Amino acid sequence: GNSVTQMEGPVTLSEEAFLTINCTYTATGYPSLFWYVQYPGEGLQLLLKATKADDKGSNKGFEATYRKETTSFHLEKGSVQVSDSAVYFCALSDRGGANNLFFGTGTRLTVIP
Amino acid sequence: EAQVTQNPRYLITVTGKKLTVTCSQNMNHEYMSWYRQDPGLGLRQIYYSMNVEVTDKGDVPEGYKVSRKEKRNFPLILESPSPNQTSLYFCASSTTDRGLAYGYTFGSGTRLTVV
């Protein structure tokens, strides 16, 4: 079946620190992979995506590379800001399935000045 | 502005009293879906719809109904709500390409409490 496992939170970092949030997946077929961000009191917003192996998704300084050999899609940012404080969700979409997005449990990031 | 609009944002109701959460999108998307978000469980799909009059169950459909009579609207119906349906609900829509959904847009969420 399809599933996503992401690192437990919460994560607290100082401003300008390096961020990594780990995400690994299990899927049948060839999924597309996503990172979504949820700011307090808001819905989820697509942060970045990758649709095939070795693709790198990037947006707003965040990056993630689709690694088929390690079934991973880790989120990274070189220098976090206070405004990056949010909950981050890793997700996959099963190309052969019913277009369901399978989500990880979310990782809460707090960046302190 | 392209968006998915859910109403209400907050709702407190009593066990057994039927309720409907509305969802509307203005992007002419074929695909729409409902998710619930619970602590430690992430988001789980309740129902989805590939187009008008085409709906199907997601991972946790028990206790919910949906309908898709128009392309823009996808209401979520709880015929007899129970406390275990207390949750944060999100509606999402997406474009499709050869039957696959891309570019999900989420609504702002509906926080439902059933007492």
Side-chain angles (χ1 to χ4, degrees):
Chain A
N2 298 307
S3 67
V4 175
T5 303
Q6 61 181 106
M7 65 185 285
E8 297 280 338
V11 174
T12 302
L13 294 174
S14 297
E15 208 165 20
E16 299 184 3
F18 185 85
L19 168 71
T20 300
I21 301 178
N22 290 337
C23 171
T24 57
Y25 67 89
T26 303
T28 54
Y30 302 95
S32 294
L33 301 173
F34 306 84
W35 277 100
Y36 281 83
V37 58
Q38 184 179 32
Y39 298 103
E42 297 184 13
L44 280 74
Q45 302 174 24
L46 178 64
L47 181 59
L48 53 85
K49 69 179 183 183
T51 57
K52 61 182 187 298
D54 300 324
D55 269 3
K56 177 186 282 188
S58 61
N59 186 25
K60 299 182 182 179
F62 291 88
E63 293 184 340
T65 301
Y66 188 145
R67 301 282 188 205
K68 189 165 180 285
E69 63 276 11
T70 54
T71 61
S72 65
F73 193 55
H74 304 322
L75 182 69
E76 296 181 336
K77 187 174 185 182
S79 176
V80 294
Q81 306 300 313
V82 173
S83 57
D84 294 327
S85 297
V87 180
Y88 293 82
F89 290 91
C90 185
L92 71 83
S93 176
D94 181 356
R95 288 169 174 261
N99 300 302
N100 189 3
L101 271 179
F102 294 89
F103 286 89
T105 54
T107 302
R108 181 176 299 279
L109 169 67
T110 301
V111 180
I112 54 177
Chain B
E1 180 189 352
Q3 59 186 0
V4 176
T5 303
Q6 294 178 230
N7 281 296
R9 289 292 306 273
Y10 302 92
L11 179 60
I12 301 175
T13 190
V14 296
T15 299
K17 185 176 181 182
K18 181 179 178 180
L19 67 91
T20 299
V21 184
T22 63
C23 174
S24 180
Q25 51 95 2
N26 62 0
M27 296 165 282
N28 201 36
H29 286 168
E30 294 91 4
Y31 180 85
M32 297 185 75
S33 180
W34 277 102
Y35 289 85
R36 60 178 289 174
Q37 182 180 7
D38 300 290
L41 296 176
L43 281 82
R44 294 175 293 168
Q45 190 181 52
I46 303 170
Y47 269 94
Y48 65 95
S49 170
M50 294 296 292
N51 214 324
V52 176
E53 302 291 2
V54 181
T55 64
D56 208 346
K57 296 176 181 178
D59 297 318
V60 288
E62 294 78 21
Y64 304 94
K65 285 175 56 178
V66 293
S67 69
R68 188 91 182 272
K69 293 184 170 55
E70 306 165 282
K71 198 171 187 179
R72 62 183 293 124
N73 295 324
F74 191 45
L76 179 70
I77 303 156
L78 284 72
E79 295 268 3
S80 183
S82 62
N84 65 11
Q85 293 178 297
T86 293
S87 187
L88 179 58
Y89 292 86
F90 288 100
C91 181
S93 72
S94 176
T95 53
T96 56
D97 177 18
R98 287 165 288 178
L100 299 175
Y102 294 98
Y104 292 82
T105 301
F106 282 81
S108 298
T110 296
R111 185 166 293 281
L112 172 66
T113 302
V114 183
V115 298

